[in-house]
Amino acid sequence: MSLNYISYSAWKDWVFCPHKYKITRVDKIRLFQGNEFSTFGTAVHDTVEQSLLLEKKRADLGSLKDDSDEIDKKKHFNARFTEEIEKLKASNVQVDDKLVLEMSKQGEDLIELVLPEIKNVLGDYEVVAAEEEIRQTIDGNPNFDFYGFIDSIFKTNDGKYHIIDWKTCSWGWDIEKKTEKETTYQLTYYKHFFCEKHKIDPDNVETYFGLLKRTAKKDKVEIFRVTSGVKKVNNALKILDTCVKNVEKGKFIKNKLSCTKCEFHKTIYCP
C-alpha cells in the first residue's frame, strides 16, 4: 500500500479541471458544506447499507428472519436524516424546513422499495458486502493507490458478482447521463480494482447504477446495467494513469472550458 491515493471523486475533479483538483485535494479548500439534497443522499445510502448488512448477518449465521432483529428502515432513515440536517444548521448552512419535511416523507417511501427491486433485478442473491473498501495499487504507478468504497456487492446462483452503486436523484437520469464516460468510469474502476483485490475474472462481474428517485411518480428505484469491456477498461486506465502522473509531477493546468461551471471561478482561490 502506497502513501498516496486517488479516489473516483478526486479523479473526477481532475478531469473537470486539474487546477480544481489542486484546490480541493492539495490545498484542501471546500466551499460546499452540504445541503438538503446531499444529506438526503447520505441518509438513504446509510439506511440501504444497514439493511443489506442485516441480510448478510442473517445469512452468515444461517438464521431465519426474526422480526425482533428487523431494522425499522423508516425510523433509521429519519434519524440519520435529522442528524445530518442538524450538522448543516450547526455549520450555519441555511436549511429549508418545508423541503426537509417533504424529503422525510419521500425517503420513507423510497427506502421500502430498494430491497424488492434488487430481488426483481438479480433474482436470488446473497449479500457479499456493503461499503466494501477498495485500495489497490494503480497499474504502472507504484506510488499511487486507487481508493474507494463500493456501495453494494451481491452474488447470484450462477456464480456472478454484481456491483451496484446507489445514486439519489430527483426524477432520474436521461440517456446522456446514463452513458456519460466520466460517470460510467466509476463502475469501470470499481470493477477493475475489485477483481484485482479478489483475483476474480472480470467476465464474472456485472456493474449497475441504482437510481433512487426522490420525486418520481413511478419506477422510484431503477437499477440499470453498465458494461465495461476490455477497450473501455483500457481507456479508463489510460486516463487514470495520465491523471496520476500529472498529480505526481505537480502539474495542475487550468481547464478554462470548465470555469463557468466551477464554484471556485472568480474567487480568491481561482481569480
Side-chain angles (χ1 to χ4, degrees):
M1 183 182 296
S2 73
L3 295 176
N4 303 305
Y5 66 86
I6 189 165
S7 65
Y8 165 74
S9 59
W11 172 87
K12 196 173 181 181
D13 275 353
W14 182 86
V15 169
F16 179 80
C17 175
H19 187 62
K20 181 181 180 182
Y21 177 99
K22 178 182 181 297
I23 294 172
T24 59
R25 309 295 166 169
V26 179
D27 301 334
K28 300 189 183 304
I29 303 297
R30 296 297 175 95
L31 298 182
F32 180 67
Q33 296 182 338
N35 57 26
E36 297 91 341
F37 304 99
S38 62
T39 58
F40 178 86
T42 297
V44 171
H45 271 77
D46 186 71
T47 305
V48 172
E49 177 190 349
Q50 294 305 314
S51 299
L52 293 175
L53 288 174
L54 179 57
E55 279 203 1
K56 178 173 170 53
K57 175 184 175 183
R58 287 175 174 156
D60 290 345
L61 295 175
S63 60
L64 297 176
K65 181 175 179 179
D66 179 357
D67 289 340
S68 65
D69 194 32
E70 183 63 65
I71 178 176
D72 186 328
K73 300 182 186 68
K74 293 182 180 181
K75 184 176 180 180
H76 185 91
F77 163 75
N78 276 310
R80 288 291 286 114
F81 189 37
T82 300
E83 179 185 348
E84 294 300 318
I85 289 294
E86 290 305 315
K87 288 180 183 178
L88 288 184
K89 292 180 177 180
S91 299
N92 296 318
V93 175
Q94 291 290 334
V95 172
D96 185 335
D97 291 328
K98 182 179 178 181
L99 178 59
V100 169
L101 286 175
E102 291 174 359
M103 286 181 156
S104 178
K105 179 62 170 66
Q106 291 162 346
E108 288 182 357
D109 295 339
L110 183 59
I111 56 174
E112 296 290 353
L113 304 174
V114 177
L115 297 186
E117 186 59 20
I118 296 172
K119 173 75 172 178
N120 181 49
V121 172
L122 299 183
D124 292 334
Y125 66 83
E126 64 175 281
V127 179
V128 176
E131 287 294 304
E132 173 164 338
E133 183 178 24
I134 297 291
R135 183 156 187 169
Q136 294 293 115
T137 301
I138 296 173
D139 312 46
N141 294 275
N143 296 325
F144 267 84
D145 297 332
F146 181 85
Y147 182 59
F149 291 85
I150 299 177
D151 285 345
S152 309
I153 304 167
F154 307 90
K155 189 174 184 181
T156 46
N157 294 336
D158 57 3
K160 285 199 171 186
Y161 293 86
H162 304 265
I163 290 172
I164 300 180
D165 187 81
W166 302 104
K167 302 291 187 186
T168 52
C169 54
S170 55
W171 59 270
W173 290 0
D174 59 21
I175 189 62
E176 183 178 354
K177 177 72 171 178
K178 287 181 176 180
T179 57
E180 183 182 55
K181 284 194 303 183
E182 287 78 9
T183 298
T184 61
Y185 276 178
Q186 179 180 12
L187 291 175
T188 303
Y189 291 135
Y190 283 178
K191 175 178 177 177
H192 176 75
F193 291 110
F194 171 76
C195 290
E196 278 198 349
K197 176 181 178 181
H198 295 287
K199 307 296 187 293
I200 295 173
D201 183 344
D203 288 340
N204 287 329
V205 179
E206 304 287 356
T207 57
Y208 312 76
F209 280 122
L211 302 184
L212 307 174
K213 307 173 189 178
R214 186 174 56 83
T215 60
K217 300 300 182 184
K218 60 178 182 178
D219 301 325
K220 286 181 174 290
V221 179
E222 179 188 359
I223 300 173
F224 66 92
R225 186 166 167 253
V226 175
T227 59
S228 295
V230 174
K231 183 177 180 180
K232 185 175 182 180
V233 171
N234 288 337
N235 287 340
L237 290 176
K238 284 179 182 177
I239 298 174
L240 182 60
D241 178 72
T242 301
C243 168
V244 168
K245 281 182 167 54
N246 278 274
V247 168
E248 200 165 22
K249 293 175 182 177
K251 294 176 64 175
F252 303 109
I253 299 172
K254 186 185 297 186
N255 177 10
K256 294 185 178 181
L257 296 176
S258 297
C259 285
T260 57
K261 296 177 286 187
C262 181
E263 67 266 36
F264 295 104
H265 183 46
K266 293 185 177 180
T267 68
I268 59 173
Y269 308 107
C270 191

